[in-house]
Amino acid sequence: MATVRLDQKRHALVRAVPDSYPEALARFFGSGPTDIATARAQHQAYRQALLDNGVEVTVLPADHAYPDCIFVEDQAVVIDGHVLLPVPGHPSRVGEQPPVADFLVRQLHGGRLCRMDGEARMDGGDLLRLGNLFFVGRSTRTNDAGIEELRLLLDHLGYELRVVDIPENALHLTSISSTPTDTDLFIPEGYLTPEDFGPLPEGCTVHVMPAEEVYGCSTIGLPTGRVIVAEGYPTVLATVEAMGLEPLVLDMSEIRAGDGSLTCCSIFYSTPGQNESE
Ligand code: GLY
C-alpha cells in the first residue's frame, strides 16, 4: 500500500471562516458561498477529520476584512521546515499573510525563511509535491518571477521543480490535482495530461479522472493512510479504494462555492526534528 509522507503532515495550520466569507472570490467552481453556517460546519468537520487522523491542528482567528482568509494554503509554502512567503497573486489577498507568516516563523524558526518581492507573484495553491519532485502551476496567480524565486529555494534544498501550465478555466494546480500518496497523482481529463508533468519516477502512477470530477481531484493523504476526498466524486472515491486506501468523505459544498478545494484550507508542516526523511 502506498504511503503519504508523514513528515509533511504532523501539523496543519487552518483559519476560521470570516463573517465576510460570502464575498470570497469565486470564478471557477462556484458563484460564491451563500450559507455561512454550513461553511462553518463543513470547516469544523474538516478540522476534526485532520485531528482524528494524527494531525495536530492550529486554528488562526478569522479576519473579517478578508473573505478568502480561510484558504491559508495560498499564503505560505513550507518545505521540510523551510518557509517561503510568496506575494499572493490576487491583490485582495495580500493582507491575509501577516498572521500566517508570524505563526509559521515562530513554529519553524530553525528553517530558512524566504520572502518574495518585486514582480514575483505566487499562490501556495500552485505548488504540488510528489515525493521528492515538485510541480508549480503557472497560473493567473503565479508568474514566472515567482516560479524563479521558488526554484531558488528548491535548488538550495536539492529538489527538482517542473512547471505545469494551468488552463484558463482553473485557479490553481492543487485546485485540480493532488498527490494522495508519494507515488500517486490525480489529474482531471480535459484540464491536465500526464505529459504536462513529464516522466515520473519509477513506481509513480497518474490517475486520470473524468473532467466532471475535476473538483474531486483535490485530495489529502493523511498520516493514518486514510485519504480525505470531497463528497460527490465517484471515480475519485473508487480509485482511492482500489489503491487500498481508506477514503474519508467530506461535504465541501460551501467551501467549493468559494473556489476552495480540500488542500486550500490547510498549510501542513512539521516542526524542527520531525522531518524523518532528512
Ligand atoms: N477564493 C479563493 C481564491 O480565489 O483565491
Side-chain angles (χ1 to χ4, degrees):
M1 187 173 81
T3 54
V4 296
R5 289 177 70 101
L6 299 186
D7 56 331
Q8 292 177 31
K9 301 275 177 66
R10 300 279 182 186
H11 303 268
L13 179 64
V14 306
R15 198 161 188 188
V17 179
D19 293 346
S20 55
Y21 181 55
E23 318 303 322
L25 298 167
R27 276 191 52 218
F28 298 97
F29 291 127
S31 51
T34 52
D35 183 344
I36 196 158
T38 299
R40 286 191 168 126
Q42 290 174 352
H43 197 255
Q44 176 57 38
Y46 173 94
R47 284 146 50 176
Q48 194 61 48
L50 296 178
L51 277 171
D52 291 345
N53 286 277
V55 182
E56 197 171 294
V57 178
T58 300
V59 186
L60 282 183
D63 184 336
H64 305 298
Y66 294 101
D68 286 285
C69 69
I70 68 166
F71 303 127
V72 285
E73 182 187 40
D74 295 323
Q75 298 296 330
V77 165
V78 181
I79 301 168
D80 299 348
H82 307 282
V83 180
L84 172 63
L85 298 174
V87 178
H90 195 286
S92 73
R93 301 201 53 199
V94 172
E96 297 170 30
Q97 194 178 61
V100 175
D102 289 349
F103 176 84
L104 290 173
V105 168
R106 276 202 309 277
Q107 297 298 309
L108 297 164
H109 47 82
R112 213 177 159 86
L113 172 65
C114 310
R115 287 181 192 272
M116 282 188 187
D117 57 13
E119 296 303 309
R121 297 288 178 277
M122 182 184 162
D123 279 2
D126 272 317
L127 186 67
L128 183 66
R129 182 174 192 166
L130 178 74
N132 289 331
L133 183 56
F134 286 79
F135 301 95
V136 61
R138 180 161 40 210
S139 70
T140 54
R141 301 288 177 85
T142 299
N143 64 15
D144 286 325
I147 291 169
E148 286 319 305
E149 293 212 19
L150 170 66
R151 193 183 297 286
L152 286 177
L153 175 61
L154 288 171
D155 280 352
H156 174 81
L157 299 176
Y159 291 125
E160 183 185 351
L161 177 67
R162 298 182 188 170
V163 180
V164 177
D165 282 311
I166 303 304
E168 281 178 2
N169 57 346
L171 177 55
H172 295 127
L173 181 57
T174 65
S175 309
I176 58 172
S177 66
S178 64
T179 51
T181 76
D182 290 337
T183 52
D184 292 280
L185 172 62
F186 286 6
I187 63 171
E189 196 169 22
Y191 289 77
L192 298 168
T193 67
E195 292 71 35
D196 292 332
F197 293 82
L200 298 184
E202 203 177 325
C204 290
T205 308
V206 184
H207 305 263
V208 183
M209 305 296 174
E212 61 272 20
E213 296 195 34
V214 54
Y215 182 81
C217 286
S218 179
T219 65
I220 299 176
L222 294 166
T224 50
R226 299 183 81 189
V227 178
I228 305 182
V229 299
E231 187 176 78
Y233 304 96
T235 313
V236 174
L237 184 63
T239 304
V240 169
E241 287 170 339
M243 287 160 58
L245 298 168
E246 191 184 342
L248 194 168
V249 180
L250 292 181
D251 181 356
M252 296 292 285
S253 58
E254 280 299 305
I255 307 300
R256 175 186 161 127
D259 276 353
S261 62
L262 280 164
T263 58
C264 291
C265 298
S266 291
I267 297 172
F268 290 100
Y269 64 96
S270 56
T271 48
Q274 289 184 325
N275 291 320
E276 292 170 349
S277 61
E278 285 186 340

